[in-house]
Amino acid sequence: MKICRFEFEGIARYGVMDDEAVKSLVDEPYDELIFDGMTYPISDVRLLAPCEPSKIVAIGKNYAAHAAEMKEGQPDEPLVFLKPNTCVVADGDDVVYPRISKRLDYEGELGVVIGKRAKHVKPGEAHKYIFGYTCLNDVTARDIQKSEPQWTRGKGFDTLCPIGPHIETEIDPSRLAIVTRINGEIRQSSTTDMMTHNIDKLICYITECMTLLPGDIIATGTPEGIGSMQVGDIVEVEIEGIGVLKNTIVKDD
Ligand code: MG
């Protein structure tokens, strides 16, 4: 099932969509899907980011080939950092090139959307807390990330976390093709089974520290092939069985 958020006549709602239409929901989709009886043609609505996370918990260096291209080793345990929810934009939205950065990189990633309050999750039980999956771009001001030990600024500028276009709730995430394109040219191409720490491990590890709430997102790390973007570029993250997340890089003015 494809869960989305959308705007129609200035009002934001959650909905269940197919290629032609979206059926709107009364409330958030996490507990149960209660329809309000309205259906809108896709062409009449504007898609919003498909969830409203309190936080994005991101994982660094979770694909060995990416750690290698950064000339960095991989930590034994997941490397966890946060992106603020003010980073979030939707499919089709602009990504603003930060005016104090000189290198802005794409990082195509599988996003895991949490469906149930999660704390101290036991191994093997993480699937109970997952609502679905979406495409995510962990856009990074690489020069700023590298200039200081904390990644918060380099990863935390407004608009640097496109997610979408929707959440897919019925998919096995264990071996999905993930591709990133710039202006139609493939730059990253891998599969999610190349992750070092799988999703089950990540959820257990993160929830030993912090509570994950419905709508929170885990950015599971990027494969090899990262690189920079310029103003005017169109960046796409496509994940098999989910869809294509497409954004344009614009100048900050
Ligand atoms: Mg990343």
Side-chain angles (χ1 to χ4, degrees):
M1 197 181 309
K2 291 177 168 58
I3 304 290
C4 67
R5 276 178 74 236
F6 67 97
E7 185 185 289
F8 180 79
E9 293 183 341
I11 297 172
R13 299 177 175 90
Y14 285 88
V16 178
M17 65 184 278
D18 59 25
D19 292 342
E20 270 126 46
V22 50
K23 292 181 178 177
S24 65
L25 297 168
V26 170
D27 204 351
E28 292 186 333
Y30 306 114
D31 289 337
E32 65 180 312
L33 301 179
I34 303 172
F35 293 92
D36 68 5
M38 297 296 289
T39 301
Y40 304 87
I42 285 288
S43 54
D44 288 359
V45 307
R46 185 170 78 90
L47 281 186
L48 305 173
C51 56
E52 300 172 282
S54 74
K55 54 192 169 295
I56 298 109
V57 185
I59 309 300
K61 304 178 193 173
N62 200 26
Y63 287 72
H66 169 60
E69 76 180 344
M70 301 300 281
K71 301 190 169 41
E72 293 165 1
Q74 274 188 299
D76 292 336
E77 296 291 345
L79 174 60
V80 177
F81 62 96
L82 293 175
K83 287 169 86 85
N85 59 7
T86 40
C87 286
V88 171
V89 292
D91 175 52
D93 283 352
D94 292 338
V95 168
V96 178
Y97 201 122
R99 58 188 186 180
I100 60 170
S101 173
K102 291 193 164 45
R103 177 164 168 160
L104 190 68
D105 283 9
Y106 54 83
E107 292 189 3
E109 307 195 6
L110 175 68
V112 179
V113 181
I114 298 297
K116 200 163 104 177
R117 188 181 183 92
K119 179 74 181 189
H120 297 325
V121 173
K122 295 185 182 71
E125 298 199 345
H127 62 277
K128 296 178 182 171
Y129 299 88
I130 296 171
F131 181 68
Y133 304 90
T134 192
C135 308
L136 182 148
N137 193 342
D138 174 20
V139 183
T140 302
R142 192 71 69 198
D143 51 345
I144 292 170
Q145 181 202 16
K146 289 193 166 188
S147 71
E148 53 198 12
Q150 292 281 349
W151 293 5
T152 306
R153 281 201 317 142
K155 299 275 194 178
F157 287 88
D158 292 351
T159 77
L160 297 202
C161 194
I163 56 173
H166 53 262
I167 300 165
E168 177 56 63
T169 60
E170 290 154 349
I171 196 172
D172 175 357
S174 57
R175 193 176 195 282
L176 300 174
I178 176 166
V179 171
T180 306
R181 289 183 291 266
I182 300 292
N183 304 322
E185 185 179 298
I186 293 175
R187 300 292 180 86
Q188 293 183 290
S189 180
S190 187
T191 47
T192 55
D193 60 325
M194 300 305 286
M195 282 183 206
T196 300
H197 304 294
N198 65 25
I199 293 165
D200 185 81
K201 164 76 188 261
L202 295 177
I203 290 177
C204 296
Y205 190 81
I206 292 164
T207 62
E208 276 305 310
C209 169
M210 68 187 83
T211 302
L212 292 173
L213 300 175
D216 281 354
I217 301 178
I218 301 171
T220 54
T222 200
E224 70 277 19
I226 59 109
S228 62
M229 302 179 289
Q230 310 302 326
V231 169
D233 281 350
I234 293 169
V235 58
E236 294 171 287
V237 176
E238 178 166 11
I239 300 179
E240 180 184 6
I242 303 177
V244 181
L245 169 67
K246 184 174 180 177
N247 300 92
T248 303
I249 310 304
V250 303
K251 194 164 175 281
D252 186 1
D253 50 23

